[in-house]
Amino acid sequence: LHQSGLTGYRLLTDECGEVFYQQIVQYMQETLGSQGVQLLLNKMSDRERKTEEADLKAKQAETGGSIDRYDSEMNQASQKSRQAAQEAENRQQQEGQISTQPAPTQPQADNPISIIKRIMKMGILELVLPPGREISTRTVSKDTMVSGRQLQQGMEMPDGVTADSSYTSGVLFQQYLMNHLGNYTDPSKESLAYQMEYVFGGRDNDIDNLKSVASKLLFIREGVNFACLMADNVKRTEAQALAAAIASGFLVPPAAVVIESALLLCWAFAESVLDVRELFAGGKIPLVKTSADWQISLSNLSSLMEGLDSMRKNNDHGLSYEDYLQVLILPVSKEKKVMRAMDMIEDAIRKKGRANFYMDSCVVALEAFAEVKANRKKEFQVIRQYCYE
C-alpha cells in the first residue's frame, strides 16, 4: 500500500439537512406505498386550501378595523351627547328657566362589545386551555442545538445532493414528524414536551411555543367564523337589531353600521375562543361551520367567561388539535422545519443517554482511495464510494 485516504464524505446535516430530509421522505414512501401517499396528499391539500382561505378572511376581518372604528364612533357620540346636554342647559339658563325635571333617557340595550374587548386583552393560554391540565415548563438551550451552533461540514463529493422541494415530499416529511414527535395532546418524555409546537414556533420553551400555536389557531378560527356570520342572514339580522338598539341608546343612529361590524367581530372572536378551547380539551371542530354547529348566541356574549366549558361542544365530523396543528405547520419554510426537527431528534437522543450525540458527526456517505503496488510489478489505484441507500 503506497497511500490511501478519504477524498470526500457527506454529513447528515450538510446542505441544511437535505440528506436527513430525503432519508425521511424515502422511508415514508416505502412505508405508505403509492396509494397511501395519494390519500395523504388529497387530505392535506384540501385542508391547506380551506385554511389559506380562512387565514385570508381573518386578515380581512382584522384590517377592517371594526373595533377601532367602534371606539372612535362611541367617543364622538359621547362628546356630542355631553355637548348637546351642555347647550340645552345654557339655553335654559339664558331664558331664565331652570328645569326641575330630569332629562329623558333612552333605555340602554345590553352592549357586549366592551366586555369582549377586555377578554381580547387576556393571556391566550388563560382563555383557551381547559382547567386541571398541567402545562409543561421545559426549556432547551438553543445554542447547543443543530440550528444554533456552528456545524461541521463534510467534504464535497462528485455526485452532490439535489434539493427536493416538491409538495409531496414536504407533506411526507411533516407526516413523519407528526408520527414521531410529541405535541400538546401527546407530549414527549424527552426534550421539549411539545416538539411539534417547537417546529411551528421555534422558541426555546414549551409555553411560548404553545402560545404561538394557540394564537394562530384563534386567528384562523376567527376568520372562518366571521365569514360564517357574514353568510348567515338570521345571525346578521340579530346583530343589526342589537346594533340599532345600542346606537339609539347612544343617540347616534348613524353609528349602527359600525356597531354591527364590531358586534360580528366580537361574536366571531367569542365563538373562536370556544373552538380552540374544545380543541385543547381533545375535541373536534369543523373547519367550516353551519348554523347547527354554532355554540354561542349573541345574547350570551357577555357571559363568555362563565360559559367557557359549558357552551363549547365537540363535533365528531370536525378536525382534531393534531389535524389543525399539521395544517398550521405546512406553510413554515422547509429549512426551518428541517433544522427544528433535527434539533428535537438530536436532543431526544441525548436525553435517552447519549449525551455526546451530534447529528453533524453522522457520516452518511464517503469516498476513499488506495494506491497499491502488487507483486512488485503492477501499480493501480482504487476509488470506492459507500453510502446509505
Side-chain angles (χ1 to χ4, degrees):
L1 177 65
H2 282 180
Q3 61 177 336
S4 64
L6 296 178
T7 54
Y9 64 91
R10 186 175 297 127
L11 301 177
L12 189 60
T13 53
D14 284 351
E15 307 292 335
C16 297
E18 186 66 31
V19 177
F20 166 82
Y21 178 83
Q22 291 188 19
Q23 283 185 356
I24 285 177
V25 171
Q26 182 181 350
Y27 166 81
M28 290 299 288
Q29 288 171 334
E30 294 170 354
T31 303
L32 294 177
S34 59
Q35 188 174 3
V37 169
Q38 193 57 52
L39 287 172
L40 178 63
L41 284 175
N42 292 342
K43 179 177 69 174
M44 291 305 298
S45 60
D46 180 59
R47 289 177 183 173
E48 185 180 26
R49 177 181 57 79
K50 291 179 179 177
T51 305
E52 285 175 351
E53 292 173 359
D55 207 2
L56 178 61
K57 289 169 183 173
K59 289 172 182 173
Q60 289 171 343
E62 184 184 64
T63 54
S66 298
I67 298 297
D68 293 338
R69 287 171 57 205
Y70 165 82
D71 289 340
S72 175
E73 288 282 350
M74 291 302 103
N75 287 336
Q76 289 180 22
S78 178
Q79 290 173 6
K80 288 178 181 178
S81 179
R82 288 195 299 269
Q83 185 178 352
Q86 185 63 48
E87 288 174 354
E89 184 178 340
N90 292 340
R91 282 197 303 271
Q92 289 175 352
Q93 289 177 352
Q94 289 172 0
E95 295 170 1
Q97 298 174 354
I98 300 177
S99 174
T100 58
Q101 295 295 324
T105 58
Q106 283 283 108
Q108 292 287 321
D110 178 39
N111 184 0
I113 298 176
S114 56
I115 294 173
I116 297 298
K117 279 175 57 186
R118 287 198 297 271
I119 295 173
M120 286 177 173
K121 295 177 181 177
M122 292 176 59
I124 182 68
L125 295 185
E126 182 183 355
L127 270 180
V128 302
L129 291 186
R133 182 155 182 173
E134 186 178 346
I135 305 175
S136 169
T137 57
R138 291 188 213 167
T139 63
V140 290
S141 178
K142 290 195 70 175
D143 58 355
T144 66
M145 305 176 86
V146 175
S147 64
R149 66 173 185 264
Q150 186 70 37
L151 298 176
Q152 299 180 75
Q153 299 290 323
M155 289 175 60
E156 187 175 349
M157 296 179 64
D159 55 337
V161 178
T162 302
D164 180 358
S165 302
S166 70
Y167 178 79
T168 299
S169 295
V171 171
L172 290 174
F173 177 76
Q174 190 167 302
Q175 185 61 50
Y176 176 90
L177 300 186
M178 289 298 298
N179 294 346
H180 291 84
L181 298 184
N183 62 69
Y184 175 78
T185 59
D186 184 19
S188 168
K189 292 181 174 60
E190 299 89 20
S191 186
L192 292 177
Y194 313 142
Q195 295 169 315
M196 286 305 294
E197 286 82 353
Y198 172 79
V199 173
F200 176 77
R203 308 293 181 83
D204 64 358
N205 65 89
D206 278 329
I207 290 179
D208 283 345
N209 287 318
L210 197 60
K211 282 180 181 177
S212 64
V213 169
S215 298
K216 186 64 174 179
L217 272 176
L218 187 64
F219 182 72
I220 287 178
R221 287 306 317 162
E222 194 172 353
V224 177
N225 291 332
F226 186 78
C228 290
L229 284 174
M230 294 297 287
D232 191 322
N233 291 330
V234 175
K235 289 183 172 60
R236 286 287 302 276
T237 301
E238 283 184 62
Q240 287 168 359
L242 180 55
I246 294 171
S248 178
F250 276 96
L251 303 177
V252 278
V257 174
V258 174
I259 296 173
E260 180 194 344
S261 296
L263 276 174
L264 290 172
L265 200 61
C266 288
W267 201 352
F269 172 81
E271 182 74 10
S272 303
V273 169
L274 297 179
D275 288 347
V276 179
R277 196 172 177 91
E278 180 63 29
L279 290 173
F280 277 109
K284 294 182 177 182
I285 296 294
L287 198 52
V288 179
K289 290 186 172 183
T290 64
S291 294
D293 301 321
W294 209 257
Q295 299 164 114
I296 187 169
S297 66
L298 187 59
S299 59
N300 283 335
L301 281 191
S302 300
S303 306
L304 173 63
M305 294 306 296
E306 291 77 29
L308 284 175
D309 294 309
S310 60
M311 287 191 281
R312 60 183 170 83
K313 55 187 178 183
N314 175 54
N315 186 317
D316 290 330
H317 300 291
L319 303 181
S320 67
Y321 172 77
E322 288 188 341
D323 294 331
Y324 275 99
L325 181 60
Q326 196 162 4
V327 175
L328 292 188
I329 294 174
L330 270 176
V332 176
S333 72
K334 174 187 171 182
E335 183 177 349
K336 286 181 179 178
K337 278 191 277 199
V338 172
M339 297 302 285
R340 291 170 184 176
M342 288 195 292
D343 284 346
M344 291 295 95
I345 292 173
E346 180 184 78
D347 197 52
I349 292 174
R350 289 177 181 176
K351 296 293 194 297
K352 285 178 179 292
R354 299 183 179 184
N356 296 315
F357 174 77
Y358 290 88
M359 274 202 168
D360 55 329
S361 291
C362 296
V363 179
V364 296
L366 62 83
E367 183 181 80
F369 80 97
E371 290 184 1
V372 178
K373 182 176 181 180
N375 299 327
R376 297 183 181 180
K377 296 179 181 179
K378 296 180 180 179
E379 293 185 8
F380 57 92
Q381 186 182 68
V382 178
I383 299 176
R384 292 287 184 270
Q385 285 189 5
Y386 299 90
C387 65
Y388 288 102
E389 293 293 340

